[in-house]
Amino acid sequence: MQGEEEELSVSIAQIVHKLKGTSLHCQLEREARGCLNSPDIKIESLKEDIKDFFKTSGWEKKLQNAVYRELSVIPTPCHPLAPAEHIKEPLSYMRRAQASWEKRILKSLNSMCTELSIPLARKRPFEEQKELLNKWNEMGTDEPDLSLFRPVYAPKDFLEVLINLRNPNYDNGDQASFRSHLGLIQVPLKIKDISELRDFYDELSLNTGHLGVDDCTQVPPELFENEHLGLGKKVLAEHDSAAAQQFVRQGCPTALRAELWSLILNISNQPEDMLYYEQLKSNVIQHDLLSDSLIYKDVKLTASNDDYYFVFEDYLYQVLLCFSRDTSVLEHFVYNSASPPKSYIRGKLGLEEFAVVYPPNGVIPFHGFSMYVAPLCFLYHEPSKLYQVFREMYVRFFFRLHSISSHISGIMSLCLLFETLLQTHLPQLFYHLREIGAQPLRISFKWMVRAFSGYLATDQLLLLWDRILGYNSLEILAVLAAAVFAFRAVNLMEVTSLAAAEAVLADLSTLKVIPLLQIFLFAVVT
C-alpha cells in the first residue's frame, strides 16, 4: 500500500512539474487572478470559490484533459533508487542493443554524408529561401535529383537486428521451449495470452456493436450508426478526453473522427500552437538539412506511389520537414529506449560541449516513415493541426515501432505476440510456413512496423487506429497480423515457398479489419 502511495506521489510530482511549463498553467493563473474581481468570490471561501469558477467556466475540464494526456505518456514510476536509464528501458541488454543499432544508423548517415560531400546542415542562400517559401504549398512539383540518396535503413534491416537479439542471462538449455524452437524472436518477454487479450479487448466481442461491421445480428447497422453518432456528439460536447477514448473503442463516425482524435490527444490548435508551427516552417526555410533529402526520398518511394496518398504529397513534405526541426519532440526520449543522435561542430569531434542533436528532433527518418503521417491527411486539412496530431501520435505510439525495448507495445513484444498467437492457435500453419522457409514474421513485420499504413484501405486503417487510440496500445497490430494469416490459412497451407506466401498476402486492401479481429479473438481461437 505504501509503495502504491509513493508511486502516486511521484506521478503527481511529475505531472505538476510538466504542466508548470505549459501555456495552460499561465492561462489558469490569469483566469484565477481575473476571477478575483467577481462578486461571487469571497475572501473567507476563496479556495472553494475559485474551484467552483474553474468548474463552471470549463477550465477544470481542460486541466483534467491535460493531466490525462500526461498519464497516457509518462512511464510507470520506478523505484526511487533506480538509475535514470531504467525509466527509458529496464533491461540492460535491450539498452545495449538499441545503442548498437543507433551507431549503425549514424554510421550509415555519416557514410552518405562523406560519399556525397554534403554537409549535415547549411544555411540556405537568400534566393533559395525565397524560392522555397514561394513553392511551400506545391513542393510535390519539385523534382530534386535524389538518385544518390538512399534510406538509412529499411524495416527488413531492423528485423534482422531483432532476430539476432538474445538475453545473455537467459539459458534455453537443451530442452528448448516450443516458442523459442519455432519463432524467430528469441527473447523472453511478458506478453498477453489469448484470455488476457479477450479481457483487454472486451469491447471487441461479438456481442458489442461496432462501426466497420456490416452484418451484426444484434442491432441493425443503420440503427447502431445513428445511435453511435448521437453519443459521439454528446462526448464531444463534454470535452472529456477519457470519455472520448472509451467511445472510440467501438469506432469513430467518419464525421466526428478528426475532432474525437484531437480530444483524445488533447490537441486544441490555439494561436500559440499555430505560431509555433510557423516558427518551425521558418526554420525549414532558413536551413537545409541532409535529413531533408531522406524525407523527400521516402515520400517519393512510398506515399507518392500510393493510390490513396499521392494527393497529399505537399502536406507530407510540410509536416515532416517541420517535424525534423521540432526540439519539443526530444522530451519523449525520457521514456524512449532510444537516445537522440548527436553530431559535432566542425573541428570539435569528440568534445561533448560542442555536440548538437541531429536532426534537431532526434529522429532520423527511415524507409516508410512518411506513412505514419499519410492517413492523417484525410482527417486534417489545416497544416498546423495536422502537424500537432502527427507529433502527438508519434510521441505516444509510433516511436515504439522502430525502437528496441521490452515495452508491451514495443516492436519486440509485438513480434513475439504475433508469433506466439500463430504458433499456439494455428500450429499446423506456422510449422508448414517455417518448413518451407517462409517464417510468418518475415512477411508481417513490415505491416506492424508501419502500423498497417499503406497496406489496408484507408477507411479500414482509420478503424484500426481508432482502437490504437481507444486502448492506448499497439498490441492490436500483432493481433490483426495473426488474424490476417488465419483468414488466408487455407491458401497459405498450399504454398511451397516464401515468394508464394508473400503473393497470397500481397494485397490486404479488401480486408475488413473489425470482423477479422472479432473472429480471431472471440470465435476461432479456443
Side-chain angles (χ1 to χ4, degrees), residues 321-365:
L321 292 174
C322 287
F323 181 69
S324 67
R325 271 79 170 171
D326 192 346
T327 54
S328 74
V329 176
L330 295 172
E331 292 177 7
H332 91 286
F333 285 104
V334 171
Y335 52 88
N336 182 353
S337 61
S339 298
K342 292 182 178 179
S343 183
Y344 293 89
I345 294 171
R346 192 184 295 275
K348 305 292 184 180
L349 183 64
L351 299 175
E352 203 57 36
E353 62 267 32
F354 294 100
V356 293
V357 173
Y358 182 89
N361 70 343
V363 181
I364 297 174

Side-chain angles (χ1 to χ4, degrees), residues 202-454:
D202 183 51
E203 289 91 340
L204 272 171
S205 70
L206 296 164
N207 298 322
T208 307
H210 280 272
L211 294 183
V213 180
D214 299 326
D215 54 354
C216 177
T217 56
Q218 305 291 327
V219 180
E222 301 81 13
L223 180 59
F224 172 74
E225 287 175 17
N226 289 336
E227 287 184 356
H228 201 55
L229 179 63
L231 182 58
K233 290 177 179 178
K234 289 179 182 177
V235 169
L236 283 174
E238 286 294 313
H239 302 292
D240 189 321
S241 294
Q245 186 172 40
Q246 181 67 36
F247 174 80
V248 303
R249 292 182 176 190
Q250 290 177 265
C252 275
T254 303
L256 304 182
R257 182 175 276 120
E259 290 181 83
L260 283 164
W261 284 19
S262 296
L263 180 55
I264 295 167
L265 298 170
N266 198 33
I267 302 297
S268 55
N269 204 30
Q270 297 295 315
E272 58 266 28
D273 299 315
M274 298 181 194
L275 179 60
Y276 186 70
Y277 174 78
E278 288 301 319
Q279 289 173 336
L280 294 174
K281 175 181 171 181
S282 177
N283 291 338
V284 176
I285 299 297
Q286 291 174 28
H287 295 92
D288 180 27
L289 305 181
L290 172 63
S291 56
D292 294 350
S293 295
L294 298 178
I295 290 169
Y296 273 103
K297 182 83 170 185
D298 185 53
V299 173
K300 292 293 184 187
L301 289 175
T302 56
S304 294
N305 295 319
D306 191 291
D307 290 343
Y308 291 105
Y309 305 122
F310 72 94
V311 293
F312 301 122
E313 194 173 345
D314 297 330
Y315 277 156
L316 295 177
Y317 292 133
Q318 291 169 12
V319 168
L320 289 167
L321 292 174
C322 287
F323 181 69
S324 67
R325 271 79 170 171
D326 192 346
T327 54
S328 74
V329 176
L330 295 172
E331 292 177 7
H332 91 286
F333 285 104
V334 171
Y335 52 88
N336 182 353
S337 61
S339 298
K342 292 182 178 179
S343 183
Y344 293 89
I345 294 171
R346 192 184 295 275
K348 305 292 184 180
L349 183 64
L351 299 175
E352 203 57 36
E353 62 267 32
F354 294 100
V356 293
V357 173
Y358 182 89
N361 70 343
V363 181
I364 297 174
F366 56 90
H367 180 62
F369 191 82
S370 60
M371 297 305 286
Y372 292 147
V373 189
L376 302 173
C377 296
F378 275 98
L379 305 181
Y380 304 98
H381 308 298
E382 168 60 42
S384 65
K385 191 162 189 181
L386 168 63
Y387 175 74
Q388 290 171 66
V389 170
F390 164 65
R391 181 180 62 191
E392 188 66 17
M393 289 285 284
Y394 181 82
V395 301
R396 282 205 199 191
F397 304 111
F398 296 146
F399 77 90
R400 298 198 184 280
L401 298 175
H402 61 95
S403 306
I404 301 173
S405 81
S406 59
H407 193 277
I408 197 158
S409 276
I411 192 65
M412 279 293 293
S413 296
L414 299 186
C415 291
L416 186 59
L417 177 58
F418 163 75
E419 289 195 321
T420 304
L421 286 172
L422 273 194
Q423 289 175 201
T424 306
H425 303 290
L426 293 161
Q428 286 182 305
L429 174 63
F430 196 96
Y431 188 77
H432 169 68
L433 292 173
R434 177 179 173 273
E435 286 299 291
I436 63 170
Q439 278 278 12
L441 186 59
R442 292 198 180 277
I443 300 171
S444 68
F445 184 76
K446 60 182 179 291
W447 306 338
M448 293 189 289
V449 85
R450 281 188 7 189
F452 280 88
S453 179

Side-chain angles (χ1 to χ4, degrees), residues 41-57:
I41 307 294
K42 305 289 191 299
I43 194 70
E44 59 273 12
S45 56
L46 182 63
K47 187 175 180 180
E48 293 305 316
D49 288 349
I50 289 178
K51 280 185 180 178
D52 289 339
F53 167 76
F54 280 146
K55 188 175 291 186
T56 55
S57 61

Side-chain angles (χ1 to χ4, degrees), residues 194 198 206 421-422 424-427 482-483 485-489 515-526:
I194 196 69
R198 283 173 173 166
L206 296 164
L421 286 172
L422 273 194
T424 306
H425 303 290
L426 293 161
F485 273 77
F487 181 65
R488 298 271 169 89
L516 265 185
L517 289 167
Q518 290 180 308
I519 291 168
F520 184 78
L521 280 174
F522 296 98
V524 174
V525 178
T526 57

Side-chain angles (χ1 to χ4, degrees), residues 75-121:
T76 305
C78 292
H79 189 278
L81 299 179
E85 62 264 25
H86 279 220
I87 297 175
K88 293 169 69 67
E89 168 54 54
L91 300 178
S92 58
Y93 75 93
M94 287 279 186
R95 294 198 299 270
R96 288 195 297 271
Q98 176 61 32
S100 175
W101 173 239
E102 288 167 12
K103 285 179 183 175
R104 272 184 62 179
I105 297 171
L106 269 179
K107 185 178 179 182
S108 175
L109 188 68
N110 287 328
S111 297
M112 198 184 319
C113 191
T114 304
E115 288 170 18
L116 303 180
S117 299
I118 295 174
L120 287 172

